[in-house]
Amino acid sequence: MTTEVGSDSDVKKDEEKTPGDQQQTDKPAEPPQEKSASIEAESGQEACVSSPPAAGGQKKEKTISRFLPPWLKRQKSQSQDKPSESSAPEQESVELKEEQTDGGGAEQTEEKKEEETEEKSVGSADTQPVREEKEDESELKEEEAVIPHEASVLSGLKLNKKMKMVVCHVTLLDGSLFSCELEKRAKGQYLFFQVCEHLNLLEKDYFGLSFKDNTEQRCWLDPNKEIKRQIRNSQWQFTFSVKFYPLDPSQLTEDITRYLLCLQLRQDIALGRLPCSFVTHALLGSYTLQAELGDHDPDEHRLDYISDFQFAPNQTKELEEKVVELQKSHRGMTPAQSDAQFLENAKKLSMYGVDLHHAKDSDGVDIMLGVCANGLLIYKDRLRINRFAWPKILKISYKRSNFYIKIRPGEAEQFESTVGFKLPNHRAAKRVWKVCVEHHTFFRLVSPEQSTKTKFLTLGSKFRYSGRTQAQTRQASSLIDRPTPYFQRTSSKRLSRSLDGAPVVSVSDYSQAAGAGENGPPLELNSDSKSPQVEVVQEPDADAATSISSETAFETDGAGAPERKSKLRVQGENIYVRHSNLMLEDLDKTQEDVLKHQASISELKRSFMEATPEPRPSQWDKRLTGSPATTLRMQTQGVPQETPPRPETDSRDASKSAEVKPEVNGQPEVVEVVEETVVIEEVIKPRSPAPEASVPVETECAAEVKEERSLSSDSDSEEEAEYHAQPPSTSISIQQIKEEPEEEQEAELTQAPPSVIESQPITEAVEPALSAEEEKPAEPHEDEHTDDREPMATPDEGPNGHALHAEAPPTAEEEEPHIVNGSSSRVEAEHLPQVICCLEPPVVKTEMVTISDTFAAQKTEISTKEVPIVHTETKTITYEAAQLDGNGDGEPGVLMTAQTITSESLCTTTTTHITKTLKGGLSETRIEKRIVITGDSDIDHDQALAQAIKEAKEQHPDMSVTRVVVHKETELAEDKD
Amino acid sequence: MANIYPYGCFTHAVVRGIPESFGKLAEGGEGLQTDLAKAQRQMGVLTGALRQKVGLQLIEIPAVTELPESWRIEDVAVIQGDTALITRPLKQQRRTEAEAVRRVLSELKLTVLEMGDEEGRSAGATLEGSDVLFTGKEFFVGISKHTNHRGAEVLADTFKDFAVSTVPVCGGSRLKNICSMGGPDTIIISSSDGAKKTLRMMEQLTDHHYEILSVPEDVAANCVYIRGPAKVDFLLHPTAEECPNSVPAFQRLTDYTLLPTACSEASKLGAALSSLCLLINKKPNY
């Protein structure tokens, strides 16, 4: 059906119109035509029944016959497309055919006209994709106009009950095929949701559907556009796959999401898309095996069927043996734990999440463009020859088959430079451009750019990623409140081999979940069978939003055992219960914003629910009230888990929900892929945050948010588009800006956890206002005209000398004294560098050396055969952030609540003190976490600490870490080979 | 990656003795004026420090007079985790140096890989270990007189888990002459203009963040960082005589045990501390 249909009233009008009129409309609108045709047909039928055709009847026939051919034509094509067409129309068509044969001379005369109509209708119906594509590219309509159009089409269709259905096939990650019937003009989103629902997947934003275009290139299905328009003449066959590889898979909420990511990575590895060394193939393979088959059983002859698994592109016997050998060391690991380990290792691979595209540089040398979470990588063969981090990129554009990035000038440079790449063809250029736009938005921005709603005609591709960003999806998935879904690891049908080998049937549904705790002792699976638990519903709507209890990985169910005993068990069914929100209750009457907070949370939650096409609303309702379970995690902590309801949190949540709503409810901004030549940009600088964030903002920052809008003028070229890689702060509310530094840091540093340890807390500590300010310089005041985009292409192969940090908005971290430079006043280390002179002669009698350093002393003993001496060293390091907000300690507040929560896991014990004080009208929540990391030398304490800090940050993204005290008690045993 | 651990954990070191022919070039002829005895003494200091201070297992391959440059053992192999890539030095004469090294590495149960045939994919590839900076997270390969793109590609094919970035070597003849690791996330680099240029490129190419310890003298930029078995940070660096202005920089490294180790004779031949040893970690989880 065409999008030309205006509205229902239009349809009626059309019905009233004489057929001739309709023929004159140069783009006959299908649904009305169909409708009127069938109406006429009915009347014609009557005429037929009253056998002697009167003159009036004759006239009618005439009018009918005018309509017939196109209509018949359509009917035919329809029935070809979709055999399951309702029978009524078919009958009609049969009768009409009879009439047609009876038609006589009158019909003959109509013949030519009919042909005309036919042509037209063919033009409008069958070549629809083509025309719509054109529409896409010329894009002369205003965006706003498009939505009503489509809506009316839908309603028109409903009226007719003549939806054309089409069967499409989706290949899932486990290789199975999912088929479903779709209305022919369904949008990508609809199919995607169907698939996600089939998979029982909630954290779906990392995934996407793709199809092969006629050149066998993979294209992502745009959720906001009709499928038919996108696939053109290709088959209705799609592949479900990971679109955005999460930087830290351990942050995913659900095991099922991790499982799907594993499946994708296994595929990537097997196909050689993700290169790894032999050792890595073996290690990853061993986790796969453990996840799929469970503990190694020496009686089984695993090697016999192990070759069913593909661990590497070219698998050798040697590899298989190594896999089995390594797998023995994973004894006791649950499938979920194995998956988590798999991901922990896979994510460190240098090509993890890099989407490669063939291209040539300006000299015609073959290179690869790799789009990833952090930016754009340039490879020549396997070597990385350049890299452009998102903060360095000002603009991404394409023109014909060229792809350009405009680079922020480096310290030494004055002007922006543009680097151009030559893609094989126009579509490839557009594809890489789109992937860049999407990755930039998903990983770097906090919320998708608002569509440029302008009063003027807008040209150029307005394609923008309109799904959730990583930040949003994390936020949303923290609200996932359901029992861990049961899913089957297909290749093995491994339900849940319990750790001791005996399948625990009763738990099987949830056993996958039980694996969540990475460090969880194996026994948990049986013992905790967390399912049957009942708690009392107290505050169904209150807490979910921010109460992300500490990371799954850290909480193993076994640890919380004592608390759990109190839980009731009811027929093995899960009734989930929300923990009371003590603090919120306390504050209920005293503070308005708590109410707002709650309201916003429930709002958020609702929008989250709405976002997922849950076919069983009753289920959701149940979950809603009976509440769920992030609680699973909280339960492990036993004590009512509290959310810090401090003002910032509230406003943040509120604004968050405000933003989420538009996308979720709905019609995510219409995305058009159109190309343009001229872009005139206007920078509007509202003093206040983006309009939608009309929620009370109670933060202290009054940072200015620039909103950039691009207004474009007409164009005749249709071969290019551009995208301004806006710094994250644009068009988002202040709260979001606040979050950004963290986000950015993550992007830059996640892979270097140990080094981050020192810097992270400090970075965090910097006050939001400060960081918001810092973002500002990063925001270029852009005023660009197309002229700038003319192929200038000075693509340099080598790094063009921009210092990475120069470009990045100065992050807080950089402002902090580096440890290396030692001048830091905040690091109070006990040991100063020690110089041991050992020039000549080389032989130093170890016993003679006087070394005050216990470590060094230790070392000297290595050569001797002494009994290990246990040294204990105690070290306290304090990192403290400057208190910029003035809420220093000087001013005592009124203590409102205090709470202590303890949770334990294998190697960490987390004690959380939450105190809420009221200071001069401002409430302040102070969360003090005491994390005790215990373990032998095998545990990387630094890593664990970094992890703990990271998690604390993630749990309370809206709060800042102001102080980190590291108290290290080391027991040094002889550590020899 | 499976085998991505913070840089610096080593258990073994392989060195090769200073031959009588020290100072002569591999292709024959005299090099610079060097003091053989002093060079041997300095080598002794180094091995002593590695063995007794740092606590590494030391394997010393005897010197061979016919191989005058064989003491530059770093050039001959690139080792990461359990994998050793035997390189192909620029000078044809030096390629026989690898034999003994290959034997030792195999005995240590490393997977020893070769650069491949002289023909085909790796034809013309040259690679020397002193152009390779491994940071624990990624490789930087300096494209220099001694190492070309082909060689870097072979390296990338060998260590597939890691990003391998190529950087031009500015201000020195080999990458490791201007920079080296000074900690798990610390790069020590000369503050010369050329080195700065190389550093900027490294910074642009990396996904990671490194602390930079900038030292005024070129010679000070080559140090050997080892995190000893008891988790003590050791830094072997040139002595105050060799780099008087850089010593204060080293002393800013908190909690480090500094081990000034003279290397003046080897430096005359363009080598540095790191050139003299291959470091291996045989205890992957340590």
Side-chain angles (χ1 to χ4, degrees):
Chain A
M1 315 275 133
T2 19
T3 49
E4 258 43 68
V5 185
S7 64
D8 283 3
S9 61
D10 280 355
V11 174
K12 279 172 200 156
K13 256 186 235 161
D14 282 350
E15 278 173 52
E16 287 159 19
K17 275 182 195 166
T18 64
D21 284 342
Q22 268 198 17
Q23 277 182 330
Q24 278 155 20
T25 53
D26 55 359
K27 284 176 190 170
E30 248 67 52
Q33 203 177 12
E34 220 173 293
K35 177 139 190 160
S36 47
S38 58
I39 289 165
E40 297 290 343
E42 266 162 11
S43 57
Q45 200 179 332
E46 283 166 31
C48 237
V49 172
S50 57
S51 46
Q58 198 71 15
K59 260 186 192 170
K60 256 183 193 166
E61 271 182 38
K62 251 190 189 175
T63 45
I64 290 161
S65 56
R66 267 184 189 169
F67 272 88
L68 283 182
W71 184 79
L72 270 174
K73 179 96 184 169
R74 286 186 40 83
Q75 276 300 27
K76 269 179 213 158
S77 64
Q78 238 172 343
S79 48
Q80 276 163 6
D81 285 334
K82 210 217 85 211
S84 65
E85 178 93 41
S86 61
S87 56
E90 250 167 46
Q91 262 189 331
E92 276 172 22
S93 79
V94 169
E95 278 168 9
L96 283 164
K97 265 179 203 160
E98 281 166 16
E99 260 193 316
Q100 203 176 359
T101 47
D102 293 341
E107 196 148 42
Q108 297 273 344
T109 56
E110 298 295 339
E111 205 64 45
K112 281 171 197 168
K113 276 183 188 171
E114 282 162 15
E115 270 170 21
E116 268 176 34
T117 333
E118 201 169 328
E119 269 169 26
K120 273 171 193 163
S121 86
V122 165
S124 63
D126 295 359
T127 60
Q128 194 70 21
V130 177
R131 220 198 65 234
E132 281 172 358
E133 190 56 38
K134 262 190 249 155
E135 203 176 80
D136 267 352
E137 285 171 1
S138 58
E139 173 50 30
L140 290 165
K141 263 181 289 174
E142 278 185 56
E143 225 179 294
E144 286 86 348
V146 181
I147 301 172
H149 268 294
E150 291 185 349
S152 70
V153 169
L154 283 176
S155 58
L157 284 168
K158 273 172 202 153
L159 275 177
N160 274 341
K161 290 189 180 173
K162 277 189 186 174
M163 292 183 291
K164 295 201 244 170
M165 301 298 278
V166 66
V167 177
C168 57
H169 305 283
V170 181
T171 309
L172 302 180
L173 285 166
D174 60 7
S176 64
L177 208 61
F178 167 75
S179 301
C180 74
E181 208 172 55
L182 284 186
E183 187 209 322
K184 213 174 178 184
R185 50 187 70 250
K187 288 184 176 179
Q189 210 164 29
Y190 181 76
L191 177 60
F192 182 63
F193 284 174
Q194 293 286 310
V195 176
C196 291
E197 193 183 298
H198 170 76
L199 292 168
N200 202 5
L201 174 67
L202 289 187
E203 293 175 283
K204 47 175 115 72
D205 303 294
Y206 300 97
F207 300 85
L209 289 174
S210 62
F211 60 93
K212 289 266 167 67
D213 68 6
N214 41 23
T215 55
E216 286 299 298
Q217 292 298 312
R218 182 173 83 161
C219 303
W220 290 105
L221 192 66
D222 188 329
N224 300 308
K225 291 174 70 185
E226 285 181 22
I227 298 170
K228 200 171 62 140
R229 286 186 183 192
Q230 301 180 59
I231 61 169
R232 303 184 190 202
N233 300 319
S234 308
Q235 300 278 305
W236 285 70
Q237 281 173 355
F238 305 92
T239 306
F240 177 82
S241 40
V242 175
K243 188 172 188 182
F244 303 112
Y245 289 75
L247 281 177
D248 186 359
S250 66
Q251 285 191 37
L252 295 173
T253 301
E254 296 201 298
D255 288 335
I256 188 166
T257 320
R258 266 186 288 271
Y259 170 63
L260 292 172
L261 179 58
C262 279
L263 288 178
Q264 174 73 64
L265 289 166
R266 285 174 200 161
Q267 204 180 86
D268 292 346
I269 289 167
L271 295 175
R273 281 197 295 249
L274 182 57
C276 349
S277 65
F278 177 84
V279 186
T280 307
H281 277 138
L283 185 77
L284 295 178
S286 67
Y287 286 121
T288 301
L289 213 57
Q290 179 72 16
E292 298 276 336
L293 302 180
D295 285 347
H296 177 77
D297 181 353
D299 297 336
E300 284 179 65
H301 294 289
R302 196 151 272 185
L303 280 175
D304 296 345
Y305 56 88
I306 204 168
S307 39
D308 295 345
F309 290 90
Q310 199 180 0
F311 302 118
N314 33 15
Q315 188 161 325
T316 57
K317 208 77 206 156
E318 190 194 358
L319 177 65
E320 289 172 12
E321 280 161 16
K322 185 83 182 163
V323 166
V324 174
E325 185 195 319
L326 284 174
Q327 196 224 333
K328 290 177 191 161
S329 64
H330 307 327
R331 176 164 293 278
M333 250 186 221
T334 62
Q337 288 170 327
S338 310
D339 282 350
Q341 282 304 308
F342 179 97
L343 295 175
E344 279 310 293
N345 284 290
K347 76 170 187 198
K348 294 178 193 154
L349 291 167
S350 79
M351 297 304 281
Y352 171 84
V354 179
D355 186 20
L356 287 176
H357 300 258
H358 284 281
K360 285 186 196 312
D361 66 9
S362 59
D363 301 330
V365 177
D366 282 318
I367 54 160
M368 297 287 263
L369 299 179
V371 183
C372 67
N374 293 332
L376 186 66
L377 301 167
I378 317 296
Y379 294 92
K380 183 165 173 261
D381 299 302
R382 282 264 299 120
L383 301 171
R384 187 186 287 186
I385 55 170
N386 212 340
R387 173 179 178 273
F388 302 97
W390 294 131
K392 285 196 63 178
I393 300 179
L394 288 172
K395 193 170 77 179
I396 317 166
S397 56
Y398 72 97
K399 187 173 186 179
R400 277 173 238 117
S401 59
N402 295 307
F403 171 71
Y404 303 103
I405 51 176
K406 181 181 270 186
I407 311 297
R408 194 183 295 279
E411 301 169 295
E413 297 146 50
Q414 293 201 324
F415 302 104
E416 298 145 349
S417 55
T418 299
V419 183
F421 303 97
K422 178 103 181 134
L423 276 290
N425 53 51
H426 164 63
R427 298 196 66 177
K430 185 168 166 183
R431 203 160 40 233
V432 71
W433 177 78
K434 274 178 122 177
V435 170
C436 280
V437 170
E438 290 175 331
H439 274 72
H440 174 264
T441 311
F442 186 81
F443 288 107
R444 179 139 173 88
L445 298 188
V446 173
S447 69
E449 244 182 291
Q450 298 301 312
S451 71
T452 49
K453 288 237 162 71
T454 54
K455 282 124 206 157
F456 306 103
L457 281 183
T458 309
L459 288 174
S461 173
K462 281 193 255 90
F463 171 80
R464 294 293 181 264
Y465 174 70
S466 59
R468 286 182 184 142
T469 62
Q470 179 170 250
Q472 288 172 333
T473 195
R474 280 185 188 163
Q475 174 84 13
S477 47
S478 70
L479 300 182
I480 289 180
D481 243 0
R482 64 170 181 183
T484 306
Y486 160 75
F487 61 94
Q488 210 174 33
R489 284 169 164 77
T490 43
S491 64
S492 61
K493 310 285 181 251
R494 182 184 180 196
L495 292 184
S496 74
R497 230 182 248 227
S498 138
L499 308 151
D500 50 18
V504 185
V505 181
S506 58
V507 195
S508 70
D509 281 10
Y510 300 95
S511 62
Q512 317 283 353
E518 283 177 11
N519 305 324
L523 288 178
E524 279 165 48
L525 240 195
N526 293 333
S527 62
D528 71 4
S529 56
K530 32 175 124 173
S531 19
Q533 289 164 10
V534 178
E535 291 167 30
V536 186
V537 183
Q538 293 189 0
E539 281 273 352
D541 59 341
D543 64 9
T546 36
S547 63
I548 312 142
S549 63
S550 48
E551 198 56 38
T552 340
F554 264 51
E555 265 151 68
T556 48
D557 304 277
E563 288 89 6
R564 194 172 294 115
K565 279 175 190 153
S566 62
K567 283 160 194 155
L568 304 173
R569 301 197 165 210
V570 177
Q571 298 184 348
E573 240 205 351
N574 285 357
I575 301 173
Y576 288 90
V577 180
R578 186 148 315 261
H579 292 271
S580 82
N581 210 326
L582 288 180
M583 290 177 73
L584 282 181
E585 277 176 352
D586 279 351
L587 296 166
D588 231 8
K589 279 123 208 170
T590 54
Q591 271 199 299
E592 254 183 34
D593 52 349
V594 174
L595 290 171
K596 274 180 219 147
H597 176 63
Q598 294 179 350
S600 68
I601 290 166
S602 44
E603 178 64 42
L604 230 188
K605 196 176 195 171
R606 196 168 61 235
S607 50
F608 180 77
M609 306 289 187
E610 280 164 11
T612 54
E614 184 57 65
R616 299 147 292 177
S618 58
Q619 283 264 15
W620 271 114
D621 292 346
K622 218 198 275 172
R623 286 174 195 171
L624 243 178
T625 47
S627 177
T630 0
T631 58
L632 262 191
R633 283 188 245 140
M634 298 177 200
Q635 282 165 4
T636 66
Q637 300 189 329
V639 190
Q641 160 82 20
E642 202 21 48
T643 313
R646 70 171 196 174
E648 283 92 333
T649 311
D650 300 346
S651 54
R652 206 241 351 214
D653 288 341
S655 69
K656 203 83 186 178
S657 66
E659 298 150 20
V660 170
K661 243 200 313 190
E663 312 158 8
V664 168
N665 295 344
Q667 302 321 334
E669 322 129 31
V670 176
V671 174
E672 273 127 301
V673 181
V674 180
E675 303 147 33
E676 101 246 53
T677 18
V678 186
V679 172
I680 300 156
E681 289 203 359
E682 206 180 281
V683 178
I684 303 161
K685 284 168 63 180
R687 262 255 7 135
S688 59
E692 349 46 74
S694 59
V695 191
V697 174
E698 298 159 357
T699 20
E700 61 274 36
C701 28
E704 226 179 286
V705 180
K706 285 187 207 166
E707 202 172 33
E708 227 181 308
R709 305 183 170 205
S710 64
L711 311 180
S712 318
S713 72
D714 245 11
S715 82
D716 30 7
S717 153
E718 28 174 67
E719 294 278 280
E720 69 175 79
E722 63 171 29
Y723 170 73
H724 291 262
Q726 294 181 340
S729 51
T730 41
S731 74
I732 49 172
S733 67
I734 288 163
Q735 286 75 23
Q736 293 158 354
I737 295 171
K738 248 184 353 189
E739 288 179 348
E740 178 50 23
E742 180 195 342
E743 188 66 17
E744 181 180 310
Q745 163 137 12
E746 217 171 273
E748 301 284 321
L749 297 172
T750 354
Q751 280 139 344
S755 71
V756 176
I757 297 177
E758 276 101 357
S759 55
Q760 259 180 347
I762 297 169
T763 311
E764 262 314 281
V766 173
E767 285 305 310
L770 177 61
S771 47
E773 246 170 40
E774 283 171 356
E775 285 297 315
K776 275 196 287 179
E779 234 175 286
H781 186 96
E782 284 173 326
D783 242 335
E784 287 162 345
H785 300 266
T786 331
D787 321 34
D788 297 346
R789 283 189 275 108
E790 283 314 303
M792 31 3 229
T794 357
D796 30 353
E797 268 190 58
N800 60 0
H802 299 137
L804 187 83
H805 302 294
E807 270 67 38
T811 56
E813 177 208 359
E814 285 166 42
E815 310 215 306
E816 294 301 325
H818 287 187
I819 310 298
V820 172
N821 294 333
S823 52
S824 164
S825 55
R826 290 179 191 121
V827 181
E828 302 148 16
E830 287 181 6
H831 297 278
L832 291 170
Q834 210 147 23
V835 180
I836 301 173
C837 269
C838 57
L839 289 180
E840 307 166 30
V843 185
V844 180
K845 262 202 135 187
T846 52
E847 283 78 13
M848 304 295 284
V849 183
T850 322
I851 300 164
S852 55
D853 182 350
T854 50
F855 286 108
Q858 197 56 37
K859 197 59 33 44
T860 59
E861 283 155 17
I862 283 168
S863 53
T864 68
K865 288 276 182 269
E866 284 172 27
V867 183
I869 301 162
V870 177
H871 298 259
T872 307
E873 193 201 38
T874 311
K875 201 194 258 187
T876 304
I877 304 169
T878 306
Y879 304 95
E880 198 159 359
Q883 295 280 336
L884 296 184
D885 55 0
N887 285 352
D889 298 324
E891 173 191 1
V894 181
L895 181 67
M896 298 179 70
T897 52
Q899 193 177 11
T900 304
I901 298 162
T902 310
S903 75
E904 280 180 45
S905 78
L906 189 63
C907 68
T908 60
T909 306
T910 308
T911 313
T912 311
H913 295 280
I914 302 172
T915 46
K916 177 135 180 115
T917 48
L918 198 59
K919 283 183 192 172
L922 273 179
S923 84
E924 183 192 54
T925 306
R926 192 166 277 276
I927 301 184
E928 195 177 311
K929 264 186 200 236
R930 186 190 167 89
I931 303 166
V932 180
I933 303 165
T934 32
D936 52 20
S937 55
D938 288 347
I939 290 171
D940 188 337
H941 290 264
D942 294 345
Q943 192 99 36
L945 177 63
Q947 180 72 16
I949 292 169
K950 207 165 132 208
E951 275 169 20
K953 273 172 49 189
E954 281 155 13
Q955 281 168 42
H956 311 288
D958 46 305
M959 303 188 77
S960 48
V961 177
T962 52
R963 200 168 131 99
V964 177
V965 181
V966 182
H967 183 81
K968 214 172 182 177
E969 245 182 80
T970 325
E971 210 175 62
L972 288 171
E974 187 73 76
D975 187 12
K976 281 213 261 178
D977 304 14
Chain B
M1 209 13 287
N3 36 11
I4 295 181
Y5 298 101
Y7 177 84
C9 296
F10 298 109
T11 55
H12 292 65
V14 182
V15 297
R16 194 157 196 181
I18 304 281
E20 298 293 325
S21 53
F22 180 81
K24 298 192 175 65
L25 299 175
E27 53 269 40
E30 290 292 324
L32 289 151
Q33 203 55 47
T34 49
D35 182 339
L36 172 65
K38 196 173 177 192
Q40 282 170 336
R41 264 203 317 277
Q42 287 177 346
M43 177 62 105
V45 174
L46 173 71
T47 53
L50 289 176
R51 196 201 317 261
Q52 288 168 317
K53 300 283 178 352
V54 183
L56 299 186
Q57 300 260 347
L58 196 78
I59 296 147
E60 188 162 353
I61 303 175
V64 178
T65 318
E66 294 74 49
L67 299 173
E69 290 186 72
S70 57
W71 50 272
R72 302 172 82 139
I73 196 170
E74 181 187 35
D75 283 339
V76 182
V78 177
I79 301 170
Q80 190 284 315
D82 283 340
T83 308
L85 174 68
I86 301 297
T87 62
R88 195 185 291 154
L90 176 70
K91 293 178 187 168
Q92 194 72 41
Q93 296 85 346
R94 290 198 62 193
R95 297 188 186 174
T96 43
E97 289 174 17
E99 280 168 24
V101 176
R102 191 181 288 129
R103 234 181 2 255
V104 168
L105 298 180
S106 303
E107 276 168 24
L108 285 170
K109 302 256 186 325
L110 295 183
T111 307
V112 180
L113 300 171
E114 304 291 329
M115 296 260 302
D117 296 333
E118 297 283 344
E119 294 95 43
R121 265 215 77 183
S122 58
T126 61
L127 178 70
E128 293 188 9
S130 48
D131 275 321
V132 178
L133 180 70
F134 177 63
T135 68
K137 304 180 185 97
E138 62 190 316
F139 284 96
F140 291 103
V141 180
I143 301 303
S144 69
K145 202 170 73 182
H146 308 271
T147 299
N148 59 21
H149 261 280
R150 276 274 162 77
E153 277 170 34
V154 176
L155 183 96
D157 282 337
T158 308
F159 302 104
K160 289 197 179 109
D161 294 347
F162 298 92
V164 178
S165 307
T166 54
V167 292
V169 179
C170 313
S173 62
R174 292 177 164 95
L175 184 63
K176 285 266 198 106
N177 285 137
I178 53 169
C179 63
S180 62
M181 291 307 286
D185 299 292
T186 304
I187 294 176
I188 300 175
I189 190 155
S190 154
S191 56
S192 71
D193 288 344
K196 274 186 188 155
K197 211 168 147 192
T198 302
L199 176 67
R200 270 202 301 276
M201 286 163 195
M202 285 166 45
E203 284 179 329
Q204 165 146 4
L205 285 159
T206 186
D207 294 323
H208 306 278
H209 175 76
Y210 299 101
E211 309 286 344
I212 302 301
L213 181 65
S214 166
V215 289
E217 286 119 332
D218 268 357
V219 66
N222 186 289
C223 299
V224 174
Y225 166 80
I226 300 167
R227 191 165 169 81
K231 310 217 166 175
V232 187
D233 297 315
F234 289 98
L235 189 75
L236 283 76
H237 64 84
T239 58
E241 276 170 38
E242 292 165 87
C243 54
N245 301 322
S246 301
V247 172
F250 296 132
Q251 284 171 349
R252 286 211 300 269
L253 291 163
T254 42
D255 274 354
Y256 273 52
T257 301
L258 300 176
L259 302 170
T261 313
C263 183
S264 58
E265 295 312 300
S267 337
K268 288 182 187 164
L269 301 171
L273 275 176
S274 73
S275 311
L276 302 171
C277 56
L278 284 173
L279 297 172
I280 298 163
N281 182 12
K282 283 300 291 172
K283 223 165 89 184
N285 279 319
Y286 117 29

